[in-house]
Amino acid sequence: MPDDIKIFEPACRLTKLPPYLFVEVDRMKKEAIARGEDIINLGVGDPDTPTPGIVIDVMKKALEDTENHQYPFGEGKENFRKSIKKFMKERFSLSFDSEKQIHTLIGSKEGIAHLPLAFVNKSDIVLVPEPAYPVYNSASIFAGGRPYFMPLTEDNGFLPDYDSIPASVLDGAKIMFINYPNNPTGASATEEFYEKTVHIAKKHSIIVASDAAYSELYYSEKPPSFLQFKGAMDVGIEFHSLSKTFSMTGWRVGWACGNEHIVEGLASVKNNTDSGVFGAVQDAAAVALDNYAELAEETRRVYGSRVKIMSEALKEASWRLDEPLATFYIWAKPPVDINSGEAVKKIISEAGIVCTPGSGFGPSGEGFVRFAATRNEERIRDAVERLKKIDWQ
Ligand SMILES: *Cc1c(COP(=O)(O)O)cnc(C)c1O
């Protein structure tokens, strides 16, 4: 092999990506641990609570089922899709054809990442909120699309302002991503917002990809599904996840449901990419969903309490925030106006707490810090005591 390293040069689609946020935060965390500090990690949105016992018990038995040792069908096992169908009916009063309108995913992230490949041609616009989960942007870039960012600001209740988007952009858009309850802002959507979303999507022929990863982590009103709104099923696909609701981030299982043509497009990409979710994981996921009423209630109890403790203590310490009514994220501004990155560095170095700079989720996140309430109450209390001691002047 000659010294020519050109063969290892990454493709443009990789060089176009912004640095993956959590990698940077992780580096800062490791440096603090290397300094020998007791670090409280409120950085990544990964539940610290274990997967419920009944789910694990089913998984153990499902391992012995030899049917599960073979390739799973891409769309998912019949029992799992039946459980999904039942959940969507009970929780959102939505009816689906479980053959054509439901497809299992290797976690909702996987489906979100593959959707643009099914519908976006080179230079098509993808409407991407910011600050946001980074995958909407990277998936759009991978598919050759052009992300157009929709700022989520405090003034707009962290909802996109469709009126500020030029008509030419809307006409050139193929997909729009929305995510409520929202990561990182903790905001929820209003009914008017969803109605307007359907209207815009129909008028400009845009697929609406709704990320509902936090639909069950609410502490006030139950968040609706986007698909419940009149006309939404004509333009929408929704991504659901078991990860946060049932503390199953490591299991990699979720589903997409919605308009059959959109689901079919996503399925075509997946059928040429992966071979579905391990059957035993689907059996376990089905049981989680069948028991969602009690299991999700417990999740809300645990995270709701933490979020409340943390929000109240931060307010006492002169942080600026609204207590989130859903998700396990606290989206807050420090007591003085300070750049997000500087704030996080100060918090890590002076308080030993890992959190995420708001600007890492997009420019409109500048000035904010995101705390994930993914440590137990005792640690959350320790964290707020430490935060109170930081001198911001
Ligand atoms: C955690 C998260 C997901 C990913 O969930 P998986 O099902 O584990 O892939 C998707 N969207 C948002 C906004 C998230 O925070």
Side-chain angles (χ1 to χ4, degrees), residues 214-260:
Y214 297 92
S215 70
E216 305 316 301
L217 267 72
Y218 55 82
Y219 315 115
S220 174
E221 280 162 48
K222 284 186 193 184
S225 159
F226 167 69
L227 298 172
Q228 282 174 279
F229 291 82
K230 191 164 175 282
M233 206 66 95
D234 300 335
V235 292
I237 183 167
E238 195 158 73
F239 294 93
H240 286 263
S241 170
L242 287 92
S243 292
K244 316 290 168 38
T245 311
F246 304 108
S247 302
M248 291 176 73
T249 47
W251 296 61
R252 310 315 304 135
V253 60
W255 73 91
C257 56
N259 178 279
E260 72 173 84

Side-chain angles (χ1 to χ4, degrees), residues 155-222:
D155 291 346
N156 262 318
F158 302 110
L159 300 170
D161 173 16
Y162 296 137
D163 297 335
S164 71
I165 304 174
S168 60
V169 169
L170 292 171
D171 285 335
K174 195 69 199 277
I175 298 179
M176 169 193 320
F177 283 102
I178 54 172
N179 163 228
Y180 294 97
N182 183 260
N183 172 12
T185 69
S188 296
T190 59
E191 293 191 357
E192 302 78 65
F193 167 75
Y194 279 139
E195 282 160 7
K196 195 160 183 179
T197 303
V198 176
H199 175 77
I200 299 266
K202 287 200 156 189
K203 187 168 165 196
H204 300 277
S205 303
I206 303 169
I207 290 171
V208 177
S210 165
D211 178 352
Y214 297 92
S215 70
E216 305 316 301
L217 267 72
Y218 55 82
Y219 315 115
S220 174
E221 280 162 48
K222 284 186 193 184

